[in-house]
Amino acid sequence: MSLWSRARMPGPRERPDAAEGGSGWSLSPAVAAAAIVATVCLVAAFVMSRLELLLVAAPLLLSALAGWSSRPESAAARGRLVVGGDDEVGRVRVDAEVEADGRIDGVHLRIRRADREPEDAVVTPGSARRLRFRVAASHSGPQRILSIAARGIGQDAAWVGDPGVPIAAERVVRPSARRVRSLPLPTRLLGLTGGHVSARPGDGGEFRDIDRFRPGDRLRRIDWKATARLAQRPGELYVRRTTATSDAAVQLVVDARDDVPGAVSGWAAAYPRPGVTSLDLAREAAVSLAGAYAAAADRVGFDDLSDARRALPPRAGARHLNRVLRAIELTTAHGAATERARAPRLAQGAVVFVLSTFLDDQATRLALTWRAAGHRVVAVDVLPSRSVDELAARERLALRVVDLERGLRLDRLRAAGAELLVWASPDRDVVLRRLATPRRRP
């Protein structure tokens, strides 16, 4: 997969964004504990008349006073990140520089990566100025691949700086496009030009039939052999008619209201295990279908069920394809299910691809609405291959209930005439070839 940054992210040679660390300092708990223990020992030595307690309290008290007097004067730490190129396949190089002023012994870093729990590291001030990370980009779409919060550590760890604003490196990872050899077409092709053979008579298509010459027919269409064979009276001519070519209108509808990983135990986890998610498959399917239809000179549109403002009507052309691909790449989960008040309007006679996990009723309801309006609907199941190894007995029972409800939704779609395509299935090309086969009208 290819990687490229957002417009507001600096490149390797541009001036990177910087973030200031906190300017306040907090006394280390170790210094406070030393002062408390020294005070307790002094009081105990006075009350109990024990000289050895003074020998314990004296070094603790001196170390607490030394730590108190060594408070740094300047800001704790400030840093910046520079996003570089790709060192390896699927990995992004990030160069970090954290500068710490004042009398400090170390820099405390809290490093956050995508889908990982935060990690803490303590480095020297010299090492903090030369940090390099290689972060794996395991998902497509917009993501924060690395975030660093830094704070200074005073001499002998007596003072700790306040953590400042984290500095972050963000990327938009372009999904990889799969080759789609077979394209399902609408039931009726209504476009005027294109590369598909339609059912109406016209120019540019395959042979349709032979009929009598009528006003408006071109003279070069006259079939003299058929005229000699079929003419019943003088002056009667027969023409050879062909079918017209047309383009298809395609609407890609992505259900981006949630992002489900393959491991069922990570559906509600804050940091799920690395792996392909449902939105990864949805972006891959949408990019693959959009590129294949655009290569066939068809009109492609895009809609996001989680954000109605990102809808793009079906159009043709390279510039419009770039807008559709960019909209797909920026698709991200919003974390909350939003209900559409009404179904989005589609182009007349368009074929609709609904890319969803079908874990709730909204995508099913919209697909049934479009099917009732006469559109050809292809339900693309983007739920990844699931793993149930870490589930308890009651969680497995709950998953069975979810599977039954999901199966009922898919059965309703099939009963209404919608077609099902499982994108992660190894038989995806076979199903697409079957869907692309022209269907005879009853």
Side-chain angles (χ1 to χ4, degrees):
M1 60 180 65
S2 60
L3 303 162
W4 55 309
S5 59
R6 292 183 180 178
R8 65 183 184 87
M9 284 299 302
R13 299 182 181 180
E14 297 176 349
R15 180 181 179 272
D17 297 333
E20 292 288 343
S23 59
W25 290 88
S26 302
L27 190 64
S28 173
V31 177
I36 294 174
V37 172
T39 303
V40 172
C41 290
L42 289 176
V43 173
F46 178 76
V47 173
M48 302 173 61
S49 300
R50 301 290 297 270
L51 182 61
E52 60 270 17
L53 293 178
L54 293 176
L55 300 178
V56 176
L60 293 177
L61 185 60
L62 292 176
S63 63
L65 292 176
W68 179 269
S69 61
S70 63
R71 183 182 187 275
E73 299 178 355
S74 58
R78 58 182 179 271
R80 59 182 181 176
L81 294 180
V82 178
V83 182
D86 306 335
D87 284 350
E88 303 174 12
V89 177
R91 291 185 176 271
V92 186
R93 189 186 77 248
V94 181
D95 297 329
E97 179 181 347
V98 180
E99 297 179 357
D101 300 331
R103 297 175 297 173
I104 64 172
D105 286 349
V107 179
H108 176 212
L109 304 176
R110 172 153 291 183
I111 305 169
R112 297 177 182 269
R113 292 182 290 174
D115 298 337
R116 296 286 184 89
E117 295 184 2
E119 299 175 349
D120 294 326
V122 177
V123 297
T124 62
S127 300
R129 296 187 181 95
R130 300 181 305 273
L131 296 176
R132 174 166 290 186
F133 301 89
R134 290 179 177 86
V135 185
S138 57
H139 300 289
S140 60
Q143 55 189 286
R144 175 173 292 185
I145 59 176
L146 185 67
S147 175
I148 298 179
R151 63 176 181 176
I153 301 176
Q155 293 183 358
D156 298 328
W159 293 87
V160 179
D162 296 336
V165 179
I167 50 179
E170 298 179 354
R171 272 289 180 94
V172 176
V173 182
R174 176 175 297 176
S176 57
R178 304 296 180 181
R179 184 179 180 183
V180 180
R181 299 180 177 87
S182 304
L183 298 176
L185 299 177
T187 306
R188 295 183 59 188
L189 295 172
L190 303 178
L192 300 179
T193 59
H196 307 294
V197 178
S198 64
R200 68 179 189 277
D203 295 333
E206 299 177 353
F207 171 76
R208 177 183 175 89
D209 57 11
I210 294 177
D211 199 4
R212 290 186 179 89
F213 182 87
R214 294 186 177 89
D217 290 338
R218 298 182 180 181
L219 295 178
R220 62 184 181 88
R221 291 288 183 181
I222 298 177
D223 191 334
W224 296 107
K225 293 183 179 180
T227 300
R229 185 176 66 254
L230 301 175
Q232 300 294 329
R233 56 182 180 273
E236 189 177 25
L237 300 175
Y238 283 84
V239 295
R240 184 183 183 90
R241 298 197 304 174
T242 58
T243 56
T245 57
S246 179
D247 59 352
V250 183
Q251 188 75 23
L252 304 174
V253 181
V254 177
D255 186 3
R257 294 171 300 145
D258 55 6
D259 194 8
V260 179
V264 181
S265 59
W267 285 9
Y271 301 100
R273 291 184 302 177
V276 179
T277 63
S278 60
L279 268 186
D280 291 335
L281 294 178
R283 297 188 196 98
E284 177 185 293
V287 167
S288 303
L289 292 172
Y293 277 105
D298 292 327
R299 294 171 290 147
V300 182
F302 173 79
D303 197 356
D304 185 356
L305 292 185
S306 63
D307 191 355
R309 298 170 296 180
R310 304 181 63 237
L312 296 173
R315 293 177 182 172
R319 296 183 60 183
H320 180 72
L321 176 62
N322 292 333
R323 287 193 292 267
V324 171
L325 295 179
R326 184 60 174 171
I328 295 172
E329 294 161 5
L330 294 178
T331 301
T332 182
H334 289 263
T338 56
E339 292 290 337
R340 285 286 186 95
R342 62 181 63 181
R345 298 184 60 183
L346 304 180
Q348 186 178 4
V351 56
V352 188
F353 289 88
V354 182
L355 297 88
S356 174
T357 57
F358 299 100
L359 293 175
D360 59 6
D361 292 329
Q362 180 170 352
T364 305
R365 177 176 57 82
L366 293 178
L368 293 175
T369 302
W370 290 322
R371 186 70 190 97
H375 297 280
R376 185 181 183 184
V377 177
V378 180
V380 183
D381 184 7
V382 294
L383 189 66
S385 301
R386 294 175 302 177
S387 174
V388 296
D389 298 337
E390 301 178 0
L391 294 182
R394 61 178 182 179
E395 294 173 341
R396 292 175 183 268
L397 180 60
L399 180 61
R400 291 184 59 186
V401 176
V402 172
D403 286 338
L404 289 174
E405 294 178 347
R406 183 171 176 271
L408 291 175
R409 296 187 188 99
L410 297 179
D411 291 340
R412 289 173 57 194
L413 290 174
R414 293 191 190 96
E419 295 148 311
L420 180 62
L421 172 63
V422 181
W423 188 258
S425 172
D427 300 331
R428 177 184 61 220
D429 295 336
V430 178
V431 176
L432 281 172
R433 191 180 304 113
R434 179 178 57 82
L435 295 178
T437 302
R439 297 178 299 176
R440 294 183 178 181
R441 295 186 179 182

Short mmCIF file of all heavy atoms in Angstrom, two decimals, residues 266-295:
data_model
loop_
_atom_site.label_atom_id
_atom_site.label_comp_id
_atom_site.label_asym_id
_atom_site.label_seq_id
_atom_site.Cartn_x
_atom_site.Cartn_y
_atom_site.Cartn_z
N GLY A 266 -11.95 -8.20 20.49
CA GLY A 266 -11.53 -6.81 20.37
C GLY A 266 -12.61 -5.87 19.89
O GLY A 266 -12.32 -4.69 19.64
N TRP A 267 -13.86 -6.33 19.75
CA TRP A 267 -14.92 -5.45 19.29
C TRP A 267 -15.18 -4.31 20.27
O TRP A 267 -15.53 -3.21 19.86
CB TRP A 267 -16.20 -6.26 19.07
CG TRP A 267 -16.16 -7.08 17.81
CD1 TRP A 267 -15.08 -7.29 17.01
CD2 TRP A 267 -17.24 -7.81 17.23
NE1 TRP A 267 -15.40 -8.10 15.96
CE2 TRP A 267 -16.73 -8.44 16.06
CE3 TRP A 267 -18.57 -8.00 17.55
CZ2 TRP A 267 -17.52 -9.23 15.24
CZ3 TRP A 267 -19.36 -8.80 16.74
CH2 TRP A 267 -18.84 -9.41 15.59
N ALA A 268 -15.02 -4.58 21.56
CA ALA A 268 -15.24 -3.55 22.57
C ALA A 268 -13.96 -3.16 23.29
O ALA A 268 -14.00 -2.44 24.29
CB ALA A 268 -16.27 -4.03 23.60
N ALA A 269 -12.80 -3.61 22.80
CA ALA A 269 -11.53 -3.30 23.45
C ALA A 269 -10.99 -1.96 22.99
O ALA A 269 -11.21 -1.54 21.85
CB ALA A 269 -10.50 -4.39 23.16
N ALA A 270 -10.30 -1.27 23.90
CA ALA A 270 -9.71 0.03 23.55
C ALA A 270 -8.55 -0.13 22.59
O ALA A 270 -8.34 0.71 21.70
CB ALA A 270 -9.26 0.75 24.82
N TYR A 271 -7.79 -1.20 22.73
CA TYR A 271 -6.64 -1.45 21.85
C TYR A 271 -6.76 -2.89 21.32
O TYR A 271 -6.19 -3.82 21.89
CB TYR A 271 -5.32 -1.27 22.61
CG TYR A 271 -5.15 0.10 23.19
CD1 TYR A 271 -5.41 0.33 24.54
CD2 TYR A 271 -4.75 1.17 22.40
CE1 TYR A 271 -5.26 1.59 25.08
CE2 TYR A 271 -4.60 2.43 22.93
CZ TYR A 271 -4.86 2.64 24.26
OH TYR A 271 -4.71 3.89 24.80
N PRO A 272 -7.52 -3.09 20.23
CA PRO A 272 -7.65 -4.44 19.68
C PRO A 272 -6.34 -4.92 19.07
O PRO A 272 -5.43 -4.14 18.77
CB PRO A 272 -8.74 -4.28 18.61
CG PRO A 272 -8.68 -2.84 18.22
CD PRO A 272 -8.28 -2.09 19.47
N ARG A 273 -6.27 -6.22 18.88
CA ARG A 273 -5.06 -6.79 18.29
C ARG A 273 -4.92 -6.34 16.84
O ARG A 273 -5.90 -6.14 16.15
CB ARG A 273 -5.12 -8.32 18.37
CG ARG A 273 -5.00 -8.86 19.78
CD ARG A 273 -4.98 -10.38 19.76
NE ARG A 273 -6.17 -10.94 19.14
CZ ARG A 273 -6.36 -12.24 18.93
NH1 ARG A 273 -5.42 -13.10 19.29
NH2 ARG A 273 -7.47 -12.68 18.38
N PRO A 274 -3.66 -6.20 16.37
CA PRO A 274 -3.47 -5.78 14.97
C PRO A 274 -4.08 -6.80 14.01
O PRO A 274 -4.00 -8.00 14.21
CB PRO A 274 -1.95 -5.71 14.84
CG PRO A 274 -1.43 -5.57 16.23
CD PRO A 274 -2.38 -6.32 17.10
N GLY A 275 -4.68 -6.29 12.95
CA GLY A 275 -5.30 -7.15 11.96
C GLY A 275 -6.21 -6.34 11.06
O GLY A 275 -6.45 -5.14 11.28
N VAL A 276 -6.72 -6.98 10.05
CA VAL A 276 -7.61 -6.32 9.09
C VAL A 276 -8.96 -6.06 9.75
O VAL A 276 -9.50 -6.94 10.43
CB VAL A 276 -7.78 -7.19 7.84
CG1 VAL A 276 -8.72 -6.53 6.84
CG2 VAL A 276 -6.42 -7.43 7.18
N THR A 277 -9.50 -4.88 9.55
CA THR A 277 -10.79 -4.51 10.09
C THR A 277 -11.81 -4.38 8.95
O THR A 277 -11.48 -4.45 7.77
CB THR A 277 -10.70 -3.19 10.87
OG1 THR A 277 -10.33 -2.13 9.97
CG2 THR A 277 -9.66 -3.29 11.98
N SER A 278 -13.05 -4.15 9.35
CA SER A 278 -14.12 -4.05 8.35
C SER A 278 -13.95 -2.82 7.47
O SER A 278 -14.23 -2.87 6.27
CB SER A 278 -15.48 -4.02 9.05
OG SER A 278 -15.58 -2.90 9.93
N LEU A 279 -13.49 -1.70 8.03
CA LEU A 279 -13.29 -0.51 7.21
C LEU A 279 -12.10 -0.68 6.26
O LEU A 279 -12.10 -0.09 5.17
CB LEU A 279 -13.10 0.72 8.10
CG LEU A 279 -14.36 1.50 8.44
CD1 LEU A 279 -14.03 2.78 9.19
CD2 LEU A 279 -15.17 1.82 7.20
N ASP A 280 -11.10 -1.45 6.65
CA ASP A 280 -10.01 -1.75 5.72
C ASP A 280 -10.55 -2.48 4.49
O ASP A 280 -10.19 -2.14 3.35
CB ASP A 280 -8.95 -2.60 6.41
CG ASP A 280 -8.19 -1.84 7.47
OD1 ASP A 280 -8.13 -0.60 7.38
OD2 ASP A 280 -7.66 -2.48 8.41
N LEU A 281 -11.40 -3.47 4.71
CA LEU A 281 -11.99 -4.19 3.59
C LEU A 281 -12.94 -3.31 2.79
O LEU A 281 -13.01 -3.40 1.56
CB LEU A 281 -12.73 -5.43 4.10
CG LEU A 281 -11.86 -6.52 4.75
CD1 LEU A 281 -12.74 -7.65 5.25
CD2 LEU A 281 -10.84 -7.05 3.76
N ALA A 282 -13.69 -2.43 3.49
CA ALA A 282 -14.62 -1.55 2.78
C ALA A 282 -13.87 -0.56 1.89
O ALA A 282 -14.27 -0.32 0.74
CB ALA A 282 -15.51 -0.81 3.78
N ARG A 283 -12.79 0.03 2.40
CA ARG A 283 -12.00 0.95 1.57
C ARG A 283 -11.37 0.21 0.39
O ARG A 283 -11.34 0.74 -0.73
CB ARG A 283 -10.91 1.62 2.41
CG ARG A 283 -11.43 2.49 3.55
CD ARG A 283 -10.28 3.25 4.18
NE ARG A 283 -10.65 3.79 5.49
CZ ARG A 283 -10.35 3.23 6.64
NH1 ARG A 283 -9.66 2.10 6.67
NH2 ARG A 283 -10.72 3.77 7.79
N GLU A 284 -10.86 -0.98 0.65
CA GLU A 284 -10.24 -1.74 -0.44
C GLU A 284 -11.28 -2.08 -1.51
O GLU A 284 -11.01 -1.95 -2.71
CB GLU A 284 -9.63 -3.01 0.13
CG GLU A 284 -9.01 -3.93 -0.91
CD GLU A 284 -8.52 -5.22 -0.30
OE1 GLU A 284 -7.56 -5.16 0.49
OE2 GLU A 284 -9.10 -6.28 -0.60
N ALA A 285 -12.46 -2.52 -1.10
CA ALA A 285 -13.50 -2.87 -2.07
C ALA A 285 -13.96 -1.64 -2.84
O ALA A 285 -14.15 -1.69 -4.06
CB ALA A 285 -14.67 -3.52 -1.35
N ALA A 286 -14.15 -0.51 -2.14
CA ALA A 286 -14.63 0.69 -2.81
C ALA A 286 -13.60 1.22 -3.81
O ALA A 286 -13.95 1.61 -4.93
CB ALA A 286 -14.96 1.77 -1.77
N VAL A 287 -12.32 1.22 -3.43
CA VAL A 287 -11.28 1.69 -4.35
C VAL A 287 -11.17 0.76 -5.56
O VAL A 287 -11.02 1.22 -6.70
CB VAL A 287 -9.94 1.79 -3.60
CG1 VAL A 287 -8.79 1.97 -4.57
CG2 VAL A 287 -9.97 2.96 -2.62
N SER A 288 -11.27 -0.54 -5.33
CA SER A 288 -11.16 -1.49 -6.44
C SER A 288 -12.33 -1.33 -7.41
O SER A 288 -12.13 -1.30 -8.64
CB SER A 288 -11.11 -2.91 -5.88
OG SER A 288 -10.05 -3.07 -4.97
N LEU A 289 -13.55 -1.23 -6.89
CA LEU A 289 -14.71 -1.10 -7.76
C LEU A 289 -14.72 0.24 -8.48
O LEU A 289 -15.06 0.31 -9.67
CB LEU A 289 -15.99 -1.27 -6.94
CG LEU A 289 -16.23 -2.67 -6.36
CD1 LEU A 289 -17.41 -2.65 -5.40
CD2 LEU A 289 -16.47 -3.67 -7.47
N ALA A 290 -14.35 1.31 -7.78
CA ALA A 290 -14.33 2.63 -8.42
C ALA A 290 -13.33 2.68 -9.56
O ALA A 290 -13.63 3.20 -10.65
CB ALA A 290 -14.02 3.71 -7.38
N GLY A 291 -12.14 2.14 -9.36
CA GLY A 291 -11.15 2.14 -10.43
C GLY A 291 -11.55 1.28 -11.61
O GLY A 291 -11.33 1.66 -12.78
N ALA A 292 -12.18 0.13 -11.35
CA ALA A 292 -12.59 -0.75 -12.45
C ALA A 292 -13.71 -0.13 -13.27
O ALA A 292 -13.69 -0.18 -14.51
CB ALA A 292 -13.03 -2.11 -11.88
N TYR A 293 -14.71 0.46 -12.61
CA TYR A 293 -15.80 1.08 -13.36
C TYR A 293 -15.33 2.33 -14.10
O TYR A 293 -15.78 2.60 -15.22
CB TYR A 293 -16.95 1.42 -12.42
CG TYR A 293 -17.87 0.27 -12.13
CD1 TYR A 293 -17.82 -0.40 -10.92
CD2 TYR A 293 -18.80 -0.17 -13.08
CE1 TYR A 293 -18.66 -1.47 -10.65
CE2 TYR A 293 -19.63 -1.24 -12.82
CZ TYR A 293 -19.57 -1.88 -11.60
OH TYR A 293 -20.39 -2.95 -11.35
N ALA A 294 -14.45 3.10 -13.49
CA ALA A 294 -13.94 4.29 -14.18
C ALA A 294 -13.11 3.90 -15.40
O ALA A 294 -13.15 4.61 -16.43
CB ALA A 294 -13.11 5.14 -13.22
N ALA A 295 -12.40 2.78 -15.34
CA ALA A 295 -11.64 2.32 -16.50
C ALA A 295 -12.56 1.91 -17.64
O ALA A 295 -12.16 1.95 -18.81
CB ALA A 295 -10.74 1.15 -16.10
#
